[in-house]
Amino acid sequence: MAGPSLRPHVHWAQRHRELFLRVDLSDVRNPDITITDNVLHFRAQGHGAKGDNIYEFEIEFLEPVEPKPVCRMTQRQLNITVQKKESNWWERLTKQEKRPLFLAPDFDRWLDESDAEMELKEKEEEKINKMKIESRVPKDPFKHLKKGYLIMYNLVQFLGFSWIFVNMTVRLFILGKGNMEIHLSSKMVGFLCLTDSFYDTFHTISDMMYFCQTLALMEIMNSLIGLVRSPLIPSVVQVFGRNFVLFVILGSLEEMQSKPVVFFIFYFWSITELFRYPYYMLSCIGIEWKPLTWLRYTVWIPLYPLGGLAEAVCIVQSIPIFSETGKFSLGLPNPLNVTIQFPFVLQIYLIALFLGVFVNFRHLYKQRKQHLGPKKRKMK
């Protein structure tokens, strides 16, 4: 059972607007600190001069104070800050003239009235200088226009990739069943629906994907002109990597457009952007929704490698077709008589693809640690 309550040692100091109380208690537990009728009531359990006990005290202030004290605990002490209702210098802390025995000046923070006035003057001058410096910084007359552009850009991209994702999902799970013959078994129906969705992806989705990926070139421009703080290299790697697969591989070869790998490429791309663009759009207006932040910096972990793998499979499948057709192969004029085979270029690009995946993966991992990493706990 805890012993009788005791008074801890309390040290005080003041400024024109504030009172500082330092209570010499370590390992404080269950503090109860209130101000009622200009009297501060303190009660807590902690380790003080009389060991581990319940300590309490009351202080009736000389002049009116605000009823909401601010308390900050450390392992060795407890600090209380009380705001005065009027900015002036008190001749003492308590209403009673005789100072309580448990109360003493805090010489670490003690200032005379003249020193406190000098400190206050220095703070005011610092504030004025800061305002002058800020006023010298030219205001951007296009700030709202830039913000509006970024909001619209991210909104349009979000709507575009949402259309792609919903369309592909509906086709995969709902549409196509009515085209199957009734006598087929349910398993066969499901298989045919699945393959239909795979083989017809490019012809139904390509126009919107062309639009979104062409518009994505603006992300490189935004980074170049400093409109956004995103680093340039990851943006270039992602945008040009996707556009190379979309326009050069899929767009130029009809044989590739009906392959199932197209479905996986488009699906992985669209799911990733469903969370990225809304996150950026809300960031433009200073809103952070924690579930969306978590999704934006987590969903890419499985999807990004899977998307890179799907792109690699697409390139590998296209190499025999480019070898057979000779498309994009470049023959140099005589006397060199050398031909640069496009399949060889694709083999080199495969290496660059995995390097690009590594670069972007590293960049996104750093961003995730920055936004979702463990934060130091602060004692209140």
Side-chain angles (χ1 to χ4, degrees):
M1 180 179 291
S5 61
L6 303 167
R7 286 190 178 89
H9 294 298
V10 180
H11 303 269
W12 78 283
Q14 67 169 317
R15 298 295 185 269
H16 284 83
R17 287 292 305 174
E18 297 169 318
L19 299 169
F20 305 108
L21 302 176
R22 174 166 57 85
V23 184
D24 286 347
L25 284 179
S26 61
D27 299 324
V28 177
R29 301 181 298 280
N30 305 320
D32 183 12
I33 305 168
T34 59
I35 296 178
T36 307
D37 296 330
N38 214 44
V39 178
L40 184 142
H41 305 273
F42 177 92
R43 179 182 174 88
Q45 185 164 353
H47 193 87
K50 299 294 184 179
D52 193 33
N53 254 303
I54 294 177
Y55 292 84
E56 61 182 347
F57 65 85
E58 290 184 355
I59 295 177
E60 185 176 4
F61 294 110
L62 178 65
E63 295 184 18
V65 296
E66 298 293 341
K68 294 182 179 180
V70 177
C71 174
R72 184 172 62 86
M73 289 186 292
T74 65
Q75 190 174 1
R76 295 184 177 181
Q77 63 190 25
L78 186 146
N79 297 296
I80 304 172
T81 302
V82 180
Q83 297 291 328
K84 299 176 181 178
K85 282 199 172 181
E86 294 183 4
S87 178
N88 55 34
W89 196 258
W90 293 4
E91 61 181 18
R92 62 181 184 273
L93 179 65
T94 61
K95 193 169 185 179
Q96 65 184 70
E97 294 185 7
K98 186 177 179 180
R99 178 174 58 84
L101 294 177
F102 68 89
L103 195 61
D106 187 351
F107 291 109
D108 291 336
R109 305 191 70 165
W110 192 267
L111 290 179
D112 294 330
E113 183 176 5
S114 58
D115 295 331
E117 289 177 351
M118 185 65 69
E119 183 186 70
L120 184 62
K121 186 177 180 181
E122 288 176 356
K123 287 183 179 180
E124 290 178 351
E125 289 178 353
E126 184 180 348
K127 186 176 180 181
I128 292 172
N129 290 334
K130 186 178 180 181
M131 292 175 64
K132 287 181 179 179
I133 292 173
E134 290 177 352
S135 64
R136 291 173 189 169
V137 178
K139 294 182 178 179
D140 187 358
F142 303 106
K143 180 180 178 180
H144 297 294
L145 184 62
K146 293 176 180 178
K147 184 182 291 188
Y149 156 73
L150 289 174
I151 292 172
M152 287 303 301
Y153 169 79
N154 288 293
L155 177 61
V156 169
Q157 288 286 61
F158 169 66
L159 294 176
F161 280 104
S162 296
W163 184 90
I164 292 171
F165 174 77
V166 171
N167 191 292
M168 294 178 70
T169 303
V170 168
R171 287 178 54 80
L172 182 61
F173 292 104
I174 299 177
L175 297 182
K177 293 183 179 180
N179 297 328
M180 303 302 154
E181 295 185 11
I182 298 176
H183 66 271
L184 291 175
S185 67
S186 59
K187 290 183 179 180
M188 183 62 71
V189 170
F191 174 76
L192 290 176
C193 289
L194 190 66
T195 54
D196 271 5
S197 297
F198 283 177
Y199 294 150
D200 204 29
T201 296
F202 187 86
H203 299 96
T204 56
I205 304 298
S206 60
D207 288 341
M208 182 60 72
M209 188 62 78
Y210 279 145
F211 171 78
C212 290
Q213 284 304 129
T214 302
L215 191 61
L217 292 170
M218 294 304 300
E219 294 184 26
I220 299 175
M221 184 61 64
N222 295 340
S223 183
L224 273 173
I225 64 178
L227 199 58
V228 295
R229 291 181 294 178
S230 300
L232 178 62
I233 293 178
S235 299
V236 171
V237 169
Q238 175 167 307
V239 173
F240 277 103
R242 287 186 179 184
N243 284 353
F244 181 82
V245 171
L246 177 63
F247 289 95
V248 178
I249 306 298
L250 301 178
S252 65
L253 295 179
E254 291 186 8
E255 298 90 337
M256 289 297 301
Q257 294 172 4
S258 59
K259 291 189 177 294
V261 70
V262 179
F263 175 89
F264 294 103
I265 292 174
F266 286 4
Y267 213 58
F268 292 146
W269 287 358
S270 63
I271 296 175
T272 303
E273 308 303 16
L274 283 181
F275 305 109
R276 188 166 72 98
Y277 286 115
Y279 172 80
Y280 288 148
M281 184 174 63
L282 293 179
S283 297
C284 291
I285 54 179
I287 296 176
E288 181 180 1
W289 187 34
K290 289 185 178 180
L292 181 61
T293 302
W294 186 87
L295 287 169
R296 187 265 177 273
Y297 290 107
T298 303
V299 167
W300 64 268
I301 295 175
L303 292 180
Y304 198 76
L306 288 173
L309 181 62
E311 293 175 27
V313 170
C314 177
I315 293 171
V316 169
Q317 290 181 346
S318 71
I319 289 176
I321 303 174
F322 279 113
S323 297
E324 183 180 345
T325 61
K327 199 167 191 176
F328 297 137
S329 295
L330 180 62
L332 297 180
N334 290 326
L336 296 177
N337 196 24
V338 177
T339 301
I340 300 177
Q341 297 291 337
F342 192 65
F344 176 72
V345 175
L346 291 179
Q347 293 172 13
I348 297 176
Y349 178 78
L350 274 175
I351 301 173
L353 172 64
F354 287 108
L355 289 176
V357 169
F358 173 76
V359 169
N360 270 6
F361 199 96
R362 189 166 175 265
H363 166 67
L364 290 170
Y365 179 71
K366 286 183 178 179
Q367 282 193 325
R368 189 177 194 277
K369 285 181 65 177
Q370 180 181 348
H371 289 84
L372 303 179
K375 298 179 180 178
K376 295 181 179 179
R377 294 182 180 179
K378 297 182 179 179
M379 298 186 70
K380 297 183 179 179

